[in-house]
Amino acid sequence: TGAVQSLVGGFDYFHNKFNRAVQAKRQPGSNFKPFIYSAALEKGFTAASLINDAPVVFDDDSLEATWRPENYSGRFYGPTRLREALVKSRNLVSIRILQSIGLRYATRYAQRFGFNKKDMPYDLSLALGSGAFSPLEIVRSYAVFANGGYLVTPYYVNRIESSDGTIKFENRPQTVCQGCEQEAQLKPQPASLDVDDKNETQEDAVESTPEEFVREYAPRIISPQNAYITSSILREVVQRGTAVRAKALGRSDLAGKTGTTNDQKDAWFSGFNDQVVTTAWVG
């Protein structure tokens, strides 16, 4: 549903009122890669596609110097399956994938997940997570993989009650409903209300509207196949990839992705199962 169960934006509100979980925009590093790989799957790549993990050099007038990206290990591994490249977080493969699908397509695809275009650089460093996003933006986007392909909107308040128990406000979030796309498209819409012509207030109309009129379903933004394959790869990230330390929890249902920036100024982990998704940042 997008309900926020826990949000921590700092150590002490009275020491610093800046909420890092919502207000801080930081570079996600490799934590952004799953969205590039998901775009590649949509563009015709498969989890078994081979991409060459070899040195690349870029001369760009917009860069201060020649750009020679490297893998975290400093090594090169040659032809690599797409699945293995994400599991091991291979930078050079990610750059080549982005080069292949195109920056225009990749940035538009990322916007489906709620990312703002202005927060994404229009160059190949996007594949390495050089954009700037808040932890809340990242966790909302990972929820798409967790719930099978739907974009939900985070919310904090479920309902507000008065002292006598009267419900003053109740949230009606867009909920994930597998197979409800057709129903959502065909659902009846309440007739428009002209308050001047009717002896009924807008509030009365809303209260009298049947439940089926106001129920909304979260929009599907990627196919269930895409969400399944991406989640499958991210489960392997925990089982044998860069997030293997998460196995210390003793669970087999976890998927996720790590992310670091230069000199580990920012370090991320985003993880999920089919019920809960979370993002942690330190830096």
Side-chain angles (χ1 to χ4, degrees):
T1 62
V4 177
Q5 295 189 352
S6 176
L7 186 145
V8 180
F11 292 108
D12 186 345
Y13 176 79
F14 295 101
H15 176 69
N16 188 338
K17 296 175 176 59
F18 184 67
N19 188 332
R20 291 159 186 81
V22 177
Q23 296 173 288
K25 288 185 178 290
R26 306 293 297 184
Q27 289 186 331
S30 296
N31 215 229
F32 188 76
K33 286 179 183 175
F35 308 106
I36 300 297
Y37 283 71
S38 175
L41 293 173
E42 195 82 7
K43 197 73 169 175
F45 282 79
T46 72
S49 295
L50 281 170
I51 305 99
N52 195 19
D53 184 6
V56 289
V57 178
F58 295 99
D59 282 311
D60 191 331
D61 294 337
S62 64
L63 300 174
E64 295 179 2
T66 300
W67 186 40
R68 291 183 172 86
E70 295 181 347
N71 290 322
Y72 185 78
S73 65
R75 298 171 56 193
F76 308 104
Y77 299 88
T80 305
R81 301 281 185 195
L82 181 143
R83 175 182 291 271
E84 190 70 12
L86 184 53
V87 168
K88 299 298 184 182
S89 199
R90 301 275 163 76
N91 289 340
L92 300 175
V93 173
S94 304
I95 291 169
R96 281 194 164 89
I97 287 175
L98 178 55
Q99 205 172 18
S100 177
I101 65 176
L103 278 164
R104 182 182 177 88
Y105 179 81
T107 52
R108 285 188 171 184
Y109 188 84
Q111 288 177 67
R112 296 187 193 179
F113 293 81
F115 294 120
N116 289 322
K117 182 179 180 180
K118 63 181 177 61
D119 294 328
M120 293 181 282
Y122 198 73
D123 58 56
L124 293 175
S125 69
L126 178 66
L128 307 185
S130 63
F133 312 107
S134 70
L136 187 66
E137 289 177 294
I138 293 289
V139 79
R140 180 195 187 193
S141 301
Y142 268 83
V144 174
F145 301 131
N147 65 34
Y150 300 86
L151 184 67
V152 292
T153 302
Y155 70 96
Y156 310 96
V157 178
N158 188 31
R159 67 178 181 272
I160 299 173
E161 298 180 359
S162 64
S163 57
D164 62 359
T166 303
I167 297 177
K168 297 294 187 181
F169 167 80
E170 187 168 10
N171 214 321
R172 294 181 180 272
Q174 290 186 324
T175 58
V176 171
C177 182
Q178 301 284 352
C180 291
E181 289 92 343
Q182 186 175 4
E183 180 183 344
Q185 292 172 359
L186 298 177
K187 68 176 182 179
Q189 298 295 325
S192 60
L193 175 67
D194 188 340
V195 178
D196 294 334
D197 296 339
K198 295 179 181 292
N199 296 321
E200 188 178 25
T201 66
Q202 187 73 43
E203 289 78 7
D204 291 338
V206 172
E207 288 179 0
S208 63
T209 302
E211 177 72 19
E212 60 266 24
F213 286 113
V214 297
R215 184 182 300 280
E216 292 187 19
Y217 300 112
R220 174 177 287 285
I221 62 167
I222 62 174
S223 69
Q225 294 86 350
N226 189 308
Y228 176 85
I229 294 171
T230 306
S231 297
S232 168
I233 299 173
L234 294 177
R235 279 193 295 273
E236 287 197 45
V237 173
V238 173
Q239 292 301 313
R240 61 182 184 86
T242 56
V244 70
R245 291 184 65 180
K247 290 177 67 177
L249 295 173
R251 301 181 59 136
S252 60
D253 63 336
L254 300 182
K257 184 72 185 75
T258 55
T260 57
T261 59
N262 291 348
D263 302 320
Q264 295 196 349
K265 294 287 180 63
D266 302 276
W268 299 74
F269 178 73
S270 297
F272 61 90
N273 61 12
D274 62 353
Q275 296 295 318
V276 178
V277 58
T278 186
T279 287
W281 167 87
V282 65

